[in-house]
Amino acid sequence: MRVLIGDPDATLEELYAPPRLPWLRANMVSTLDGAATGADGRSGSINNAADKQVFDLLRRTCDAVLVGAGTARAEGYGPAARPIVVVSRQGGVPPTLRAAQRGRVLLATCAAAPDLDEAVGMLGVEQVLVCGDTEVDLAGLVGALHARGLRHLLCEGGPRLLADLLAAGLVDELAATYVPALVGGVGPRITAGAPLDVRASPHLLLEESGTMLGRWWLNRPDVRGPGARG
Ligand SMILES: NC(=O)c1ccc[n+]([C@@H]2O[C@H](COP(=O)([O-])OP(=O)(O)OC[C@H]3O[C@@H](n4cnc5c(N)ncnc54)[C@H](OP(=O)(O)O)[C@@H]3O)[C@@H](O)[C@H]2O)c1
Protein backbone atom coordinates (compact mmCIF):
# COMPACT_ATOMS: atom_id res chain seq x y z
CA MET A 1 0.00 0.00 0.00
CA ARG A 2 1.19 3.52 -0.80
CA VAL A 3 1.66 5.63 2.35
CA LEU A 4 0.42 9.18 1.70
CA ILE A 5 0.41 10.29 5.34
CA GLY A 6 2.49 8.29 7.81
CA ASP A 7 5.83 6.50 7.99
CA PRO A 8 6.57 4.89 4.59
CA ASP A 9 9.01 2.43 6.20
CA ALA A 10 6.58 1.09 8.81
CA THR A 11 4.76 -2.22 8.45
CA LEU A 12 0.98 -2.21 8.15
CA GLU A 13 0.72 -3.50 11.72
CA GLU A 14 2.93 -0.66 12.96
CA LEU A 15 0.92 1.87 10.97
CA TYR A 16 -2.28 0.71 12.69
CA ALA A 17 -0.89 0.24 16.21
CA PRO A 18 -2.92 1.95 18.95
CA PRO A 19 -1.00 4.92 20.40
CA ARG A 20 -2.01 4.00 23.95
CA LEU A 21 -4.31 1.74 25.92
CA PRO A 22 -7.15 1.80 26.54
CA TRP A 23 -8.14 2.68 22.99
CA LEU A 24 -11.41 2.34 21.13
CA ARG A 25 -11.22 2.28 17.35
CA ALA A 26 -14.16 2.14 14.97
CA ASN A 27 -13.57 0.61 11.54
CA MET A 28 -16.00 1.39 8.74
CA VAL A 29 -16.11 1.27 4.94
CA SER A 30 -17.91 3.60 2.58
CA THR A 31 -18.29 4.21 -1.13
CA LEU A 32 -17.27 7.56 -2.62
CA ASP A 33 -20.92 8.64 -2.58
CA GLY A 34 -21.16 7.89 1.12
CA ALA A 35 -22.99 4.56 1.13
CA ALA A 36 -22.20 2.13 3.94
CA THR A 37 -23.77 -0.80 2.08
CA GLY A 38 -24.38 -1.97 -1.45
CA ALA A 39 -27.83 -2.58 -2.90
CA ASP A 40 -28.08 -5.85 -0.95
CA GLY A 41 -27.93 -4.00 2.38
CA ARG A 42 -24.54 -5.42 3.37
CA SER A 43 -21.12 -3.86 3.62
CA GLY A 44 -19.70 -7.09 2.19
CA SER A 45 -20.86 -5.97 -1.25
CA ILE A 46 -18.86 -2.71 -1.18
CA ASN A 47 -15.60 -3.75 0.45
CA ASN A 48 -12.60 -5.07 -1.45
CA ALA A 49 -9.25 -6.79 -0.94
CA ALA A 50 -7.45 -3.73 0.49
CA ASP A 51 -10.24 -3.09 2.97
CA LYS A 52 -10.35 -6.77 3.91
CA GLN A 53 -6.61 -6.77 4.58
CA VAL A 54 -6.96 -3.94 7.11
CA PHE A 55 -10.25 -5.33 8.49
CA ASP A 56 -8.50 -8.64 9.23
CA LEU A 57 -5.47 -6.91 10.74
CA LEU A 58 -7.61 -4.78 13.06
CA ARG A 59 -9.55 -7.83 14.21
CA ARG A 60 -6.38 -9.80 14.79
CA THR A 61 -4.75 -7.08 16.88
CA CYS A 62 -7.67 -6.01 19.09
CA ASP A 63 -8.79 -7.54 22.40
CA ALA A 64 -12.49 -7.65 21.52
CA VAL A 65 -14.89 -6.67 18.73
CA LEU A 66 -17.92 -4.53 19.59
CA VAL A 67 -20.83 -4.78 17.18
CA GLY A 68 -24.46 -3.68 17.11
CA ALA A 69 -26.97 -6.50 17.01
CA GLY A 70 -28.38 -5.11 13.74
CA THR A 71 -25.04 -5.54 12.01
CA ALA A 72 -24.45 -8.97 13.50
CA ARG A 73 -27.86 -10.02 12.12
CA ALA A 74 -27.49 -8.31 8.70
CA GLU A 75 -23.97 -9.55 8.09
CA GLY A 76 -24.47 -13.00 9.62
CA TYR A 77 -21.63 -12.60 12.14
CA GLY A 78 -19.99 -15.81 13.27
CA PRO A 79 -17.52 -16.38 16.11
CA ALA A 80 -14.04 -14.90 15.53
CA ALA A 81 -10.54 -15.23 16.94
CA ARG A 82 -11.34 -12.38 19.35
CA PRO A 83 -14.45 -12.22 21.56
CA ILE A 84 -17.44 -10.62 19.85
CA VAL A 85 -19.41 -8.25 22.10
CA VAL A 86 -22.93 -7.80 20.70
CA VAL A 87 -24.76 -4.66 21.84
CA SER A 88 -28.54 -5.05 21.96
CA ARG A 89 -31.37 -3.22 23.73
CA GLN A 90 -33.63 -6.23 23.17
CA GLY A 91 -31.10 -8.69 24.51
CA GLY A 92 -31.41 -11.07 21.59
CA VAL A 93 -28.40 -13.18 20.65
CA PRO A 94 -28.09 -13.10 16.82
CA PRO A 95 -28.84 -16.58 15.41
CA THR A 96 -25.43 -17.05 13.80
CA LEU A 97 -23.69 -16.52 17.16
CA ARG A 98 -25.84 -18.83 19.27
CA ALA A 99 -23.78 -21.95 18.77
CA ALA A 100 -20.47 -20.24 19.55
CA GLN A 101 -18.11 -21.83 22.04
CA ARG A 102 -18.61 -20.46 25.58
CA GLY A 103 -16.73 -17.22 26.10
CA ARG A 104 -16.39 -16.31 22.41
CA VAL A 105 -19.55 -14.17 22.44
CA LEU A 106 -20.61 -11.59 25.02
CA LEU A 107 -23.89 -9.74 25.03
CA ALA A 108 -24.17 -6.18 26.33
CA THR A 109 -27.72 -5.22 27.19
CA CYS A 110 -29.91 -3.56 29.81
CA ALA A 111 -31.98 -4.89 32.72
CA ALA A 112 -35.29 -4.24 30.93
CA ALA A 113 -34.30 -6.25 27.83
CA PRO A 114 -37.15 -8.62 26.94
CA ASP A 115 -34.78 -11.39 25.83
CA LEU A 116 -32.40 -11.13 28.79
CA ASP A 117 -33.26 -14.45 30.46
CA GLU A 118 -32.98 -16.33 27.18
CA ALA A 119 -29.58 -14.73 26.51
CA VAL A 120 -28.31 -15.70 29.97
CA GLY A 121 -29.49 -19.28 29.36
CA MET A 122 -27.74 -19.35 25.99
CA LEU A 123 -24.43 -17.64 26.77
CA GLY A 124 -24.04 -18.07 30.53
CA VAL A 125 -24.42 -15.33 33.13
CA GLU A 126 -20.72 -14.37 32.96
CA GLN A 127 -21.05 -13.52 29.28
CA VAL A 128 -24.04 -11.19 29.64
CA LEU A 129 -23.16 -7.65 30.68
CA VAL A 130 -26.17 -5.81 32.05
CA CYS A 131 -25.26 -2.14 31.69
CA GLY A 132 -28.11 0.19 32.62
CA ASP A 133 -31.80 -0.25 33.39
CA THR A 134 -33.71 0.65 30.22
CA GLU A 135 -30.84 1.68 27.90
CA VAL A 136 -27.38 0.25 27.40
CA ASP A 137 -24.96 2.53 29.25
CA LEU A 138 -22.13 2.52 26.70
CA ALA A 139 -19.57 4.18 28.99
CA GLY A 140 -20.41 1.56 31.62
CA LEU A 141 -19.98 -1.16 29.02
CA VAL A 142 -16.57 0.11 27.93
CA GLY A 143 -15.53 0.32 31.60
CA ALA A 144 -16.74 -3.25 32.21
CA LEU A 145 -14.72 -4.52 29.23
CA HIS A 146 -11.61 -2.71 30.46
CA ALA A 147 -12.12 -4.33 33.88
CA ARG A 148 -12.00 -7.72 32.13
CA GLY A 149 -8.67 -6.82 30.57
CA LEU A 150 -10.23 -6.03 27.17
CA ARG A 151 -8.64 -2.62 26.66
CA HIS A 152 -8.01 -2.48 22.94
CA LEU A 153 -11.53 -2.38 21.53
CA LEU A 154 -12.60 -2.47 17.91
CA CYS A 155 -16.11 -1.34 16.97
CA GLU A 156 -17.27 -2.67 13.59
CA GLY A 157 -20.48 -0.63 13.61
CA GLY A 158 -23.14 -0.47 12.60
CA PRO A 159 -24.17 3.10 11.96
CA ARG A 160 -26.50 3.39 14.97
CA LEU A 161 -24.08 1.90 17.48
CA LEU A 162 -21.24 4.01 16.09
CA ALA A 163 -23.31 7.20 16.35
CA ASP A 164 -24.23 6.40 19.96
CA LEU A 165 -20.60 5.71 20.88
CA LEU A 166 -19.56 8.96 19.19
CA ALA A 167 -22.28 10.91 20.98
CA ALA A 168 -20.98 9.52 24.26
CA GLY A 169 -17.42 10.63 23.40
CA LEU A 170 -16.11 7.08 23.64
CA VAL A 171 -14.46 6.64 20.23
CA ASP A 172 -10.76 7.51 20.07
CA GLU A 173 -10.24 6.73 16.40
CA LEU A 174 -12.11 6.21 13.17
CA ALA A 175 -10.41 3.87 10.72
CA ALA A 176 -12.27 4.49 7.49
CA THR A 177 -11.93 2.99 4.04
CA TYR A 178 -13.24 4.74 0.93
CA VAL A 179 -13.69 2.32 -1.96
CA PRO A 180 -13.52 3.79 -5.48
CA ALA A 181 -17.17 3.14 -6.34
CA LEU A 182 -20.51 4.96 -6.26
CA VAL A 183 -23.72 3.04 -5.72
CA GLY A 184 -26.52 5.64 -5.49
CA GLY A 185 -29.67 4.37 -3.85
CA VAL A 186 -30.76 5.10 -0.31
CA GLY A 187 -28.29 3.00 1.65
CA PRO A 188 -27.16 4.09 5.13
CA ARG A 189 -24.09 6.21 5.85
CA ILE A 190 -21.53 5.04 8.39
CA THR A 191 -23.41 6.90 11.15
CA ALA A 192 -27.16 7.13 11.72
CA GLY A 193 -29.30 8.96 14.24
CA ALA A 194 -29.22 12.39 15.85
CA PRO A 195 -26.82 15.10 14.65
CA LEU A 196 -23.25 14.89 15.97
CA ASP A 197 -20.39 17.36 16.19
CA VAL A 198 -17.17 15.38 16.32
CA ARG A 199 -13.90 16.82 14.99
CA ALA A 200 -11.32 14.52 13.41
CA SER A 201 -7.63 14.87 12.64
CA PRO A 202 -5.85 12.62 10.15
CA HIS A 203 -3.03 10.37 11.31
CA LEU A 204 -2.65 7.96 8.45
CA LEU A 205 -3.62 7.79 4.79
CA LEU A 206 -2.93 4.81 2.54
CA GLU A 207 -3.84 4.13 -1.06
CA GLU A 208 -4.15 0.89 -2.95
CA SER A 209 -5.71 0.57 -6.42
CA GLY A 210 -7.77 3.69 -5.82
CA THR A 211 -8.97 2.61 -2.37
CA MET A 212 -8.17 5.16 0.34
CA LEU A 213 -7.66 3.89 3.87
CA GLY A 214 -7.10 6.23 6.78
CA ARG A 215 -7.01 6.72 10.50
CA TRP A 216 -8.52 9.78 12.12
CA TRP A 217 -8.25 10.69 15.80
CA LEU A 218 -11.54 11.94 17.18
CA ASN A 219 -11.29 14.73 19.74
CA ARG A 220 -7.91 13.40 20.88
CA PRO A 221 -5.54 16.34 20.20
CA ASP A 222 -3.32 15.23 23.10
CA VAL A 223 -2.46 11.80 21.67
CA ARG A 224 0.26 11.41 19.06
CA GLY A 225 0.43 8.20 17.09
CA PRO A 226 2.56 6.15 14.70
CA GLY A 227 1.01 7.84 11.68
CA ALA A 228 1.33 11.39 13.05
CA ARG A 229 2.84 14.10 10.88
CA GLY A 230 5.74 16.29 11.90
N1 LIG B 1 -20.04 0.15 5.95
C1 LIG B 1 -19.70 -0.34 7.12
O1 LIG B 1 -18.54 -0.24 7.53
C2 LIG B 1 -20.74 -1.02 7.94
C3 LIG B 1 -20.40 -1.50 9.21
C4 LIG B 1 -21.37 -2.13 9.99
C5 LIG B 1 -22.66 -2.27 9.48
N2 LIG B 1 -22.96 -1.81 8.25
C6 LIG B 1 -24.32 -1.97 7.73
O2 LIG B 1 -25.21 -1.25 8.56
C7 LIG B 1 -26.49 -1.88 8.53
C8 LIG B 1 -27.02 -2.03 9.96
O3 LIG B 1 -27.26 -0.73 10.46
P1 LIG B 1 -27.77 -0.46 11.93
O4 LIG B 1 -27.66 0.98 12.21
O5 LIG B 1 -29.06 -1.14 12.13
O6 LIG B 1 -26.66 -1.24 12.72
P2 LIG B 1 -26.36 -1.47 14.24
O7 LIG B 1 -26.06 -0.22 14.97
O8 LIG B 1 -25.36 -2.55 14.25
O9 LIG B 1 -27.70 -2.13 14.76
C9 LIG B 1 -28.75 -1.49 15.38
C10 LIG B 1 -29.21 -2.44 16.45
O10 LIG B 1 -28.08 -2.71 17.31
C11 LIG B 1 -28.43 -2.52 18.65
N3 LIG B 1 -27.90 -1.25 19.10
C12 LIG B 1 -27.28 -0.29 18.37
N4 LIG B 1 -26.91 0.73 19.15
C13 LIG B 1 -27.32 0.42 20.40
C14 LIG B 1 -27.24 1.08 21.65
N5 LIG B 1 -26.67 2.29 21.79
N6 LIG B 1 -27.78 0.48 22.72
C15 LIG B 1 -28.36 -0.74 22.61
N7 LIG B 1 -28.47 -1.43 21.46
C16 LIG B 1 -27.96 -0.84 20.36
C17 LIG B 1 -29.96 -2.57 18.66
O11 LIG B 1 -30.26 -3.96 18.63
P3 LIG B 1 -31.61 -4.65 19.12
O12 LIG B 1 -32.58 -4.40 18.02
O13 LIG B 1 -31.26 -6.12 19.24
O14 LIG B 1 -31.98 -4.01 20.42
C18 LIG B 1 -30.29 -1.89 17.34
O15 LIG B 1 -31.57 -2.23 16.85
C19 LIG B 1 -26.31 -3.21 7.83
O16 LIG B 1 -26.81 -3.05 6.53
C20 LIG B 1 -24.81 -3.40 7.80
O17 LIG B 1 -24.42 -4.12 6.69
C21 LIG B 1 -22.03 -1.18 7.47
Side-chain angles (χ1 to χ4, degrees):
M1 288 193 196
R2 195 154 63 103
V3 180
L4 304 177
I5 298 175
D7 178 357
D9 299 322
T11 63
L12 198 59
E13 188 158 344
E14 287 165 347
L15 289 170
Y16 276 94
R20 64 157 163 81
L21 292 176
W23 192 251
L24 196 164
R25 162 157 55 206
N27 183 33
M28 304 294 282
V29 59
S30 169
T31 62
L32 289 184
D33 57 348
T37 69
D40 63 353
R42 289 168 168 228
S43 57
S45 59
I46 60 166
N47 66 9
N48 60 19
D51 179 63
K52 180 78 168 58
Q53 190 181 354
V54 169
F55 179 92
D56 288 345
L57 169 72
L58 300 190
R59 268 201 170 187
R60 209 168 51 238
T61 52
C62 73
D63 292 332
V65 175
L66 266 178
V67 67
T71 295
R73 291 188 290 257
E75 304 276 350
Y77 264 52
R82 298 287 181 261
I84 303 271
V85 183
V86 178
V87 182
S88 167
R89 238 175 244 108
Q90 296 297 307
V93 181
T96 48
L97 290 170
R98 287 182 188 164
Q101 198 190 341
R102 273 244 157 149
R104 302 318 299 160
V105 176
L106 282 77
L107 181 81
T109 190
C110 52
D115 298 335
L116 178 58
D117 291 344
E118 192 187 15
V120 168
M122 219 175 275
L123 300 178
V125 70
E126 281 293 305
Q127 312 303 326
V128 178
L129 302 170
V130 179
C131 307
D133 295 332
T134 55
E135 293 291 328
V136 179
D137 168 6
L138 295 174
L141 165 60
V142 168
L145 295 174
H146 291 172
R148 289 178 176 229
L150 305 173
R151 286 156 55 79
H152 183 188
L153 300 174
L154 173 65
C155 174
E156 293 182 346
R160 280 184 281 169
L161 177 61
L162 176 57
D164 291 344
L165 287 167
L166 288 168
L170 294 168
V171 185
D172 298 302
E173 171 190 341
L174 175 66
T177 298
Y178 294 93
V179 294
L182 298 90
V183 297
V186 291
R189 291 159 36 212
I190 64 169
T191 58
L196 292 165
D197 183 8
V198 179
R199 303 298 150 136
S201 56
H203 276 257
L204 179 70
L205 191 60
L206 307 177
E207 185 273 342
E208 178 152 307
S209 305
T211 297
M212 311 299 294
L213 306 102
R215 301 178 75 185
W216 284 262
W217 276 201
L218 306 181
N219 295 324
R220 297 289 181 272
D222 51 317
V223 184
R224 289 179 59 78
R229 275 193 282 192

